[in-house]
Amino acid sequence: MEYLFLLVLVLSLWTGSQSESVNHKLFKTGSDDFLISLSTDGTYNISVKGKQWLSSAPTYFNSDNKTFSAADGSLKLLESSASSGTDKIGDWQSQTYLYQTVDSLAVKITANIKIYKDLPIIIFQQIFNDGANWTQGENYEDICGGFPGFKMEGQSGNLGYMSFGGLMVGDTNKHFGQWYNGTSQINEGIAGGPLAWFDIDGHTIVFSPFNNFMSASFSHDKDVGGYYYGGVMGGVYSIPAGHHQDFILYYGVGVNKAFEHWGKTLRKFYGKTLTEQKKDFTITHLGYWTDNGAYYYYNTETGETYEQTMYDVKNYADKVKIPFRYIQYDSWWYYQGVGRGVKTWRSRPDVFPDGFKNVTQTLKLPAAAHNRYWASDTTYAKQNGGKYDFIVEKYKALPVTKQFWVDLFTEAKQWGLILYEQDWLNVEFSGLQALLHDLDLGTQWLTQMAEAASESGIYIQYCMANPRHTMQSLLYPAVTQIRVSNDYNPGGDQWKIGISSILASALGLAPYKDTFWTTEKQPGNIYNRTEPNWKLNAVVSTLSTGPVGPSDMVGATNVSMLMKCCREDGVILKPQYPIRAIDAQIIGEAFPYSGGPGGEVWVSYTQFSSLKFANILALNIGQGYSYTLHPKDTGIYSFKEGNGDLYAVPYDEPYGWVQFSNLYGIDITGVFTPSRIALYHVSQAIPGWFMTTIFGELDKWAPMSPQRVVSVSWTNDTVTAPLIGAPKETFNFWYLLGSKLDAVTCQLSINGTVMFKMDRDLGIATCQ
Ligand SMILES: *[C@@H]1O[C@H](CO)[C@@H](O)[C@H](O)[C@H]1NC(C)=O
Ligand SMILES: *[C@@H]1O[C@H](CO)[C@@H](O)[C@H](O)[C@H]1NC(C)=O
Ligand SMILES: *[C@@H]1O[C@H](CO)[C@@H](O)[C@H](O)[C@H]1NC(C)=O
Ligand SMILES: *[C@@H]1O[C@H](CO)[C@@H](O)[C@H](O)[C@H]1NC(C)=O
Ligand SMILES: *[C@@H]1O[C@H](CO)[C@@H](O)[C@H](O)[C@H]1NC(C)=O
Ligand SMILES: *[C@@H]1O[C@H](CO)[C@@H](O)[C@H](O)[C@H]1NC(C)=O
Ligand SMILES: *[C@@H]1O[C@H](CO)[C@@H](O)[C@H](O)[C@H]1NC(C)=O
Ligand SMILES: *[C@@H]1O[C@H](CO)[C@@H](O)[C@H](O)[C@H]1NC(C)=O
Ligand SMILES: *[C@@H]1O[C@H](CO)[C@@H](O)[C@H](O)[C@H]1NC(C)=O
């Protein structure tokens, strides 16, 4: 019945008036609310919930040092044809437009639009049938031709956007706003990234490249009312026959949900799973860091070598029982050359007099090690007397064989490397002409690195990644983690990872907040700064699901506070899903009067069978705003779940627990700042029991972490939860039983297990 109606609708929309030669056809995607109208003249409109959101900007391509555009007829549409089929994503219908440049070369280019029948997906493809030469744009920030393209001016309704750009996953230059005209601030070029459009109710379209991530770019033409295009990176001079550049539009309800499902589609397509992330020891265990912002960044204990300083760190940690399980060594340990690039990635004798291997073996801790861009005087390059093929330019260099990386990692494994941190990804890319002008070199660089890492059994952290590097990691199981905000600077605000973590986690990467101090004052630090927000940094780090890596001065750690992150054996107690900004915060950034929190409200959670246990962090709320958070706003609980079976507990005040429902929200107005955080843990009631739930280990930042709680199951008579941890570890475990709050002390067995149990008839809980 419904199907029939739709058919009639589609037929009736085939064309407005029969007399015109131009035909319109409306296509439905897997979502009834996400439609595209295609014309035989190559134009298209996209609508959401019956409103036209986007309409096409003229298709154009560069060839032969010229721009050929459908707008002025210099790009001629030869034919338009329809077809259908099935690929790795699903069943599709498509409309194919064959274009030809109007000049002596008559280069053919195909613009193809694929609409997926069962998924809310549209894919746009540029196919260079014959290839093309002299395709470069005005500069490398431009593109070699635009398809798809969307007009910014003259759209009906209010359309908000979030545009990623810059480094650290596109966090540093992200913008929010409304889709007006050329004045809207939208990222383009080398550092540009995915864009999402959304309305005030959270209906969202995510727009990103779908393949060749390293050579795909966006361009924001600010004239003519503003056009926004996807295309091949503007520095590329020559595109071979058959080259595809694809872009995806993904529609979803809820900004977070849309990104999550967009990411799942890409991850499925490229085979990126979370398996390696779960095995990466530097993600699962507490480590000590020495990078920018750390106390010992280009700084040692007075009069000591770095080697001795690292021993001091370890001796102190052992004494006060901080279970550091690895150490991160930043750029201070290797040889630097031209422009402070890396000359030789080996430890210097003035830093480690006994050698790197001796240091890791003495410490009995594996290493995470930093690396940056290659200097033009790198000793590995044949040009400088080394063994390997490199592209060498004035300041920087690039290895071009996989063997180089295999040898580099094989050597590093011998001195204890488990994590390779590739920093300065953006600078290596934009600092080499070769990378900016080649279609495939960027991919080759990262592929050789990642394949060698996989073969060597080490993992990679990306740092200073533009969105292009971030998306490219979809192809690499070895890349498990990524920095999502700028460098730590004590007292600064780089803890704001709520937005960029949405993008990183959608792509299967563990978001890393970077290091932090656990106490305010650390005398003699090289930054002359203090850290009043030590607690906030610790919370965000732990709930990020990425590495947790403090960097205190010897003797300055707040051990009890730090250990809220972890078990006694240094295993990090994480939530299952990373902490991210809620939709209302994002929508509020674009629509200031939409009733958003006007500050940061982030949520993470863990699910055991049907029960979801959330962590809610709120700060900087205020400045005239009043905000009450309800379960339905978290993006975690359904409307029904929010109607009476949730309990929220302030992290530092168990007896302050309250019912949390769509009727009774939590008022998070005004009072919280980074030095006074609001952190609530939410537990879902045990079905069929009267006011009963588990709050868990409230002494930790993630009280119901899967690294502590194996499962939660229940019958009418008992609730059971097997718990794990370090042998003989002891902790308090909180619960609500028949409306009564209490805690039981759990001591794990010698094999690190114990069973938490609640008995309905007896009205008691035990842990044994
Ligand atoms: C797109 O929308 C514009 C304005 O609403 C209309 O003139 C045009 O015919 C539409 N094109 C298609 C392909 O639907
Ligand atoms: C394109 O322009 C460059 C310089 O701008 C010139 O060297 C080259 O010969 C031109 N190529 C063609 C095919 O016109
Ligand atoms: C591009 O240049 C290459 C090499 O000079 C040539 O073989 C090819 O035919 C050219 N392609 C086009 C579309 O002009
Ligand atoms: C762009 O749109 C904004 C908001 O409607 C308006 O204030 C501004 O004048 C417009 N600018 C141009 C150049 O059209
Ligand atoms: C490290 O070097 C020191 C000094 O040369 C030596 O005494 C020690 O045995 C070495 N330790 C290891 C683990 O190699
Ligand atoms: C460090 O900061 C304090 C307070 O801002 C200032 O008074 C002092 O001069 C600074 N010291 C140095 C060495 O910059
Ligand atoms: C350590 O952290 C606790 C909170 O976990 C706090 O009460 C205490 O004051 C902190 N100590 C220092 C020295 O900062
Ligand atoms: C559990 O309790 C419900 C209602 O109290 C009852 O309908 C159900 O039969 C019970 N199930 C078992 C397995 O006892
Ligand atoms: C761990 O110890 C408990 C009792 O202390 C025992 O029931 C359990 O089987 C042991 N598990 C393993 C994996 O050895």
Side-chain angles (χ1 to χ4, degrees):
M1 177 68 187
E2 234 173 62
Y3 184 68
L4 204 71
F5 169 74
L6 191 88
L7 217 81
V8 173
L9 185 80
V10 168
L11 286 175
S12 69
L13 280 160
W14 246 98
T15 170
S17 72
Q18 248 63 12
S19 58
E20 283 171 26
S21 60
V22 171
N23 278 327
H24 289 182
K25 187 171 174 186
L26 190 68
F27 288 84
K28 193 180 79 65
T29 66
S31 163
D32 291 347
D33 293 335
F34 181 42
L35 309 178
I36 183 165
S37 165
L38 302 179
S39 161
T40 47
D41 71 0
T43 60
Y44 42 93
N45 292 333
I46 287 164
S47 68
V48 168
K49 297 213 73 120
K51 283 194 180 141
Q52 186 172 307
W53 274 25
L54 303 165
S55 66
S56 56
T59 300
Y60 75 92
F61 293 104
N62 294 348
S63 166
D64 193 24
N65 273 352
K66 287 182 230 132
T67 295
F68 299 90
S69 171
D72 60 12
S74 56
L75 187 67
K76 196 170 106 196
L77 182 61
L78 296 183
E79 61 178 65
S80 162
S81 58
S83 60
S84 62
T86 302
D87 64 18
K88 223 167 146 181
I89 305 171
D91 292 343
W92 50 264
Q93 293 170 277
S94 81
Q95 193 73 25
T96 303
Y97 302 99
L98 180 64
Y99 288 102
Q100 185 177 292
T101 61
V102 180
D103 78 338
S104 56
L105 291 182
V107 169
K108 287 197 182 64
I109 292 144
T110 299
N112 193 34
I113 302 178
K114 276 172 131 176
I115 300 106
Y116 287 82
K117 282 184 184 159
D118 305 317
L119 291 159
I121 296 176
I122 302 171
I123 287 184
F124 294 82
Q125 304 182 294
Q126 310 181 0
I127 306 163
F128 294 82
N129 304 35
D130 315 324
N133 294 319
W134 300 104
T135 50
Q136 73 280 5
E138 277 177 28
N139 54 50
Y140 59 77
E141 296 288 356
D142 195 8
I143 50 177
C144 299
F147 176 79
F150 302 106
K151 282 182 193 161
M152 302 187 67
E153 209 168 53
Q155 305 309 311
S156 66
N158 287 338
L159 206 51
Y161 69 80
M162 168 164 74
S163 164
F164 286 100
L167 50 152
M168 307 300 187
V169 175
D171 180 65
T172 60
N173 202 37
K174 62 182 182 301
H175 290 297
F176 304 84
Q178 285 174 43
W179 187 251
Y180 290 132
N181 51 40
T183 64
S184 298
Q185 271 191 300
I186 296 177
N187 288 288
E188 60 176 341
I190 296 303
L195 176 99
W197 295 278
F198 46 84
D199 65 13
I200 209 157
D201 300 318
H203 302 105
T204 303
I205 298 176
V206 181
F207 177 31
S208 81
F210 193 72
N211 71 346
N212 294 317
F213 304 105
M214 292 303 285
S215 54
S217 283
F218 294 101
S219 164
H220 180 196
D221 184 342
K222 297 176 189 65
D223 307 328
V224 286
Y227 289 164
Y228 194 59
Y229 284 109
V232 171
M233 172 171 82
V236 173
Y237 285 103
S238 172
I239 299 175
H243 183 76
H244 273 234
Q245 181 54 59
D246 300 352
F247 290 86
I248 180 173
L249 292 188
Y250 193 100
Y251 170 73
V253 181
V255 184
N256 272 279
K257 282 275 178 307
F259 271 95
E260 208 174 299
H261 291 131
W262 160 82
K264 272 191 184 149
T265 302
L266 283 155
R267 285 199 279 131
K268 192 173 158 210
F269 191 82
Y270 287 103
K272 178 98 176 191
T273 66
L274 302 182
T275 311
E276 300 302 317
Q277 188 185 122
K278 293 200 175 104
K279 290 197 296 199
D280 181 341
F281 191 82
T282 65
I283 293 178
T284 54
H285 289 75
L286 181 66
Y288 182 81
W289 281 63
T290 66
D291 63 331
N292 189 12
Y295 190 86
Y296 299 113
Y297 176 67
Y298 289 91
N299 183 32
T300 60
E301 292 278 82
T302 312
E304 290 183 0
T305 60
Y306 250 115
E307 181 172 315
Q308 190 56 48
T309 302
M310 292 299 107
Y311 296 153
D312 293 350
V313 165
K314 178 66 159 70
N315 289 337
Y316 165 65
D318 288 347
K319 200 175 91 200
V320 298
K321 295 202 167 62
I322 307 172
F324 290 133
R325 301 294 299 275
Y326 70 96
I327 293 182
Q328 183 268 2
Y329 301 89
D330 213 72
S331 56
W332 42 262
W333 63 271
Y334 50 75
Y335 293 88
Q336 295 177 13
V338 171
R340 297 193 68 199
V342 58
K343 188 170 183 176
T344 309
W345 204 58
R346 290 210 176 105
S347 66
R348 301 200 315 265
D350 58 318
V351 172
F352 294 151
D354 296 303
F356 213 145
K357 183 174 183 179
N358 181 297
V359 171
T360 59
Q361 290 193 341
T362 305
L363 291 168
K364 298 193 178 63
L365 293 178
H370 176 278
N371 201 6
R372 53 168 58 151
Y373 47 85
W374 301 97
S376 54
D377 59 349
T378 178
T379 55
Y380 299 103
K382 279 184 180 162
Q383 290 89 331
N384 301 321
K387 238 177 95 179
Y388 302 96
D389 289 327
F390 268 67
I391 291 170
V392 176
E393 295 183 1
K394 190 166 175 205
Y395 301 110
K396 294 186 176 59
L398 186 80
V400 293
T401 63
K402 182 166 140 192
Q403 194 58 44
F404 165 74
W405 293 103
V406 170
D407 293 352
L408 191 81
F409 292 152
T410 302
E411 181 180 309
K413 265 205 94 157
Q414 284 164 13
W415 48 254
L417 185 80
I418 57 169
L419 179 77
Y420 176 74
E421 180 195 346
Q422 183 61 66
D423 196 2
W424 298 88
L425 281 159
N426 65 331
V427 170
E428 176 85 62
F429 189 79
S430 62
L432 263 153
Q433 291 301 309
L435 281 165
L436 290 170
H437 295 290
D438 194 287
L439 202 52
D440 302 315
L441 190 59
T443 305
Q444 179 191 297
W445 162 44
L446 295 183
T447 301
Q448 290 173 348
M449 182 198 302
E451 285 182 359
S454 280
E455 286 167 25
S456 309
I458 61 168
Y459 290 110
I460 298 178
Q461 177 185 100
Y462 277 1
C463 189
M464 297 173 74
N466 295 128
R468 67 184 62 244
H469 307 96
T470 310
M471 293 201 70
Q472 182 66 24
S473 76
L474 282 163
L475 282 77
Y476 310 135
V479 182
T480 51
Q481 45 178 303
I482 194 158
R483 275 277 304 284
V484 286
S485 63
N486 242 323
D487 285 5
Y488 178 61
N489 192 12
D493 70 352
Q494 66 79 238
W495 51 263
K496 287 190 178 177
I497 62 166
I499 303 286
S500 50
S501 294
I502 294 171
L503 185 52
S505 64
L507 296 170
L509 296 163
Y512 182 37
K513 186 216 80 82
D514 201 6
T515 192
F516 59 97
W517 296 357
T518 70
T519 50
E520 180 164 0
K521 298 198 172 97
Q522 310 227 349
N525 73 78
I526 60 169
Y527 318 98
N528 191 28
R529 290 180 70 106
T530 59
E531 178 53 278
N533 306 325
W534 40 272
K535 196 187 282 183
L536 173 63
N537 274 276
V539 172
V540 168
S541 226
T542 306
L543 298 182
S544 72
T545 71
V548 176
S551 56
D552 295 312
M553 177 183 86
V554 167
T557 300
N558 186 334
V559 181
S560 66
M561 197 284 298
L562 173 61
M563 289 309 291
K564 285 170 173 290
C565 71
C566 296
R567 304 190 328 204
E568 252 173 45
D569 55 4
V571 168
I572 303 167
L573 293 163
K574 300 168 185 289
Q576 187 181 1
Y577 299 102
I579 195 150
R580 283 160 286 177
I582 62 168
D583 280 7
Q585 176 183 334
I586 298 164
I587 294 166
E589 296 270 6
F591 300 105
Y593 302 105
S594 60
E600 312 284 333
V601 181
W602 307 351
V603 295
S604 54
Y605 72 103
T606 300
Q607 182 157 357
F608 294 105
S609 110
S610 63
L611 305 184
K612 284 166 276 186
F613 298 85
N615 321 100
I616 298 173
L617 180 66
L619 13 87
N620 282 351
I621 311 293
Q623 283 105 39
Y625 286 88
S626 153
Y627 195 73
T628 300
L629 183 74
H630 297 99
K632 64 182 168 56
D633 305 318
T634 60
I636 294 171
Y637 300 108
S638 68
F639 192 82
K640 191 163 156 272
E641 287 168 328
N643 284 343
D645 65 353
L646 299 175
Y647 305 98
V649 58
Y651 82 100
D652 53 354
E653 184 46 72
Y655 289 94
W657 70 274
V658 291
Q659 263 196 338
F660 179 47
S661 67
N662 291 325
L663 203 56
Y664 302 106
I666 312 174
D667 182 358
I668 52 174
T669 308
V671 290
F672 307 109
T673 65
S675 57
R676 185 174 186 281
I677 57 168
L679 176 64
Y680 293 89
H681 302 300
V682 179
S683 290
Q684 198 162 357
I686 306 293
W689 287 55
F690 171 69
M691 288 185 85
T692 297
T693 192
I694 305 177
F695 282 127
E697 196 181 351
L698 289 176
D699 285 333
K700 304 295 186 186
W701 300 129
M704 288 295 286
S705 165
Q707 286 77 44
R708 177 68 87 205
V709 181
V710 176
S711 62
V712 176
S713 52
W714 59 92
T715 65
N716 277 359
D717 308 317
T718 56
V719 175
T720 50
L723 309 179
I724 50 169
K728 294 280 171 197
E729 189 172 4
T730 305
F731 51 88
N732 291 327
F733 206 70
W734 292 83
Y735 58 92
L736 191 65
L737 178 53
S739 83
K740 193 172 151 284
L741 179 81
D742 212 339
V744 62
T745 301
C746 299
Q747 182 175 39
L748 300 183
S749 68
I750 194 75
N751 64 17
T753 62
V754 77
M755 183 67 81
F756 172 78
K757 202 175 217 167
M758 287 194 277
D759 185 298
R760 171 131 75 179
D761 284 347
L762 301 177
I764 57 162
T766 54
C767 206
Q768 55 198 8

